[in-house]
């Protein structure tokens, strides 16, 4: 991994160029910002999340009616958001293999965990696989006569994956909470599980919106969905950033 190689090279360089006292006193997580940024941008998920953040920020601006609909800037923002959405699909090429490998490389403690993980893998893989064809259609390489059906199937697969992931994460969260109650230890895993559940809830809401073709009943639903999506994207961005 690029992130790991950069970290290793920096640590080795510090240990050879600095005296022992200075090397030991240097913070473990201290690193050059530009090197860290380069490592982050080398990840396709990192670039994808930056595009996702810009997309949701644009959606929030449009949904909040900050600018009049007749203003040329409004049309430019709509065009920008649409282009970013199409660009993001290109970053998902071949990504459907990842959920399959995650499932293959996992160890399961119960039959229920195995079934939920299998459903998550199938749902995520199918959704990501269909996203490739949706990208081809929107980029003009394929005919759009099947676009609506592709988007529907992808949204349903995404929805099933999110529901299963919420169930599995909630089960893990309960197990961790019981452990913490016994030993009274604050654990970072608790917060990460809560954030994961929130992310899946956000994804679930957006999948439902796609299934309903965006025909929501609440006036503020576009703003709510965009805000939830933005927060979810920021969480994932932080995870990727700290992993580099």
């Amino acid at each position: 991994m690029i992130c790991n190689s950069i970290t290793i090279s920096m640590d080795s360089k510090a240990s050879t160029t600095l005296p022992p006292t200075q090397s030991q006193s240097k913070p473990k997580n201290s690193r050059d910002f530009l090197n860290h940024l380069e490592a982050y941008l080398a990840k396709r998920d990192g670039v994808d999340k930056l595009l996702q953040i810009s997309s949701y920020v644009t959606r929030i601006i449009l949904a909040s009616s900050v600018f009049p609909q007749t203003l040329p800037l409004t049309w430019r923002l709509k065009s920008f958001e649409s282009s970013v959405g199409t660009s993001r699909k290109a970053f998902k090429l071949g990504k459907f293999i990842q959920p399959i490998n995650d499932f293959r490389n996992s160890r399961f403690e119960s039959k229920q965990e195995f079934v939920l993980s299998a459903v998550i893998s199938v749902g995520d893989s199918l959704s990501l696989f269909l996203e490739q064809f949706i990208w081809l259609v929107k980029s003009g390489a394929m005919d759009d006569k099947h676009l609506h059906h592709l988007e529907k199937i992808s949204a349903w697969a995404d929805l099933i994956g999110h529901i299963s992931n919420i169930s599995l994460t909630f089960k893990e969260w309960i197990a961790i909470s019981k452990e913490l109650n016994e030993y009274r230890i604050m654990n970072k895993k608790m917060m990460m599980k809560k954030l994961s559940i929130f992310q899946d809830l956000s994804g679930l809401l957006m999948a439902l919106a796609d299934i309903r073709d965006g025909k929501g009943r609440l006036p503020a639903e576009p703003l709510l969905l965009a805000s939830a999506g933005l927060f979810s994207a920021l969480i994932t961005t932080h995870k990727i950033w700290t992993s580099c």
Side-chain angles (χ1 to χ4, degrees), residues 44-167:
R44 69 169 173 177
D45 284 344
V47 177
D48 176 56
K49 290 306 161 186
L50 291 181
L51 290 173
Q52 188 178 22
I53 289 171
S54 65
S55 175
Y56 283 126
V57 168
T58 305
R59 289 188 189 185
I60 289 174
I61 294 173
L62 292 171
S64 59
S65 301
V66 176
F67 303 111
Q69 292 292 325
T70 55
L71 197 69
L73 179 60
T74 302
W75 294 102
R76 290 178 183 174
L77 288 173
K78 289 181 179 179
S79 177
F80 171 77
E81 196 279 324
S82 178
S83 298
V84 169
T86 303
S87 300
R88 285 193 61 225
K89 296 185 186 303
F91 282 91
K92 297 178 181 179
L93 291 175
K95 198 176 179 181
F96 67 93
I97 299 173
Q98 182 179 330
I100 297 174
N101 283 335
D102 288 343
F103 178 74
R104 291 174 62 245
N105 298 328
S106 298
R107 295 182 179 180
F108 310 103
E109 298 180 358
S110 65
K111 187 178 292 185
Q112 182 185 16
E113 185 178 345
F114 173 82
V115 172
L116 287 173
S117 297
V119 174
I120 293 169
S121 178
V122 172
D124 289 349
S125 297
L126 178 58
S127 177
L128 289 169
F129 181 74
L130 292 176
E131 284 288 325
Q132 298 176 121
F133 294 97
I134 295 173
W135 171 68
L136 289 173
V137 171
K138 292 194 173 183
S139 62
M142 286 181 61
D143 191 89
D144 63 352
K145 61 181 179 180
H146 299 301
L147 177 61
H148 182 71
H149 297 294
L150 287 172
E151 290 178 332
K152 284 281 187 179
I153 297 172
S154 177
W156 275 109
D158 199 28
L159 178 67
I160 293 171
H162 283 303
I163 292 174
S164 301
N165 206 30
I166 289 172
S167 302

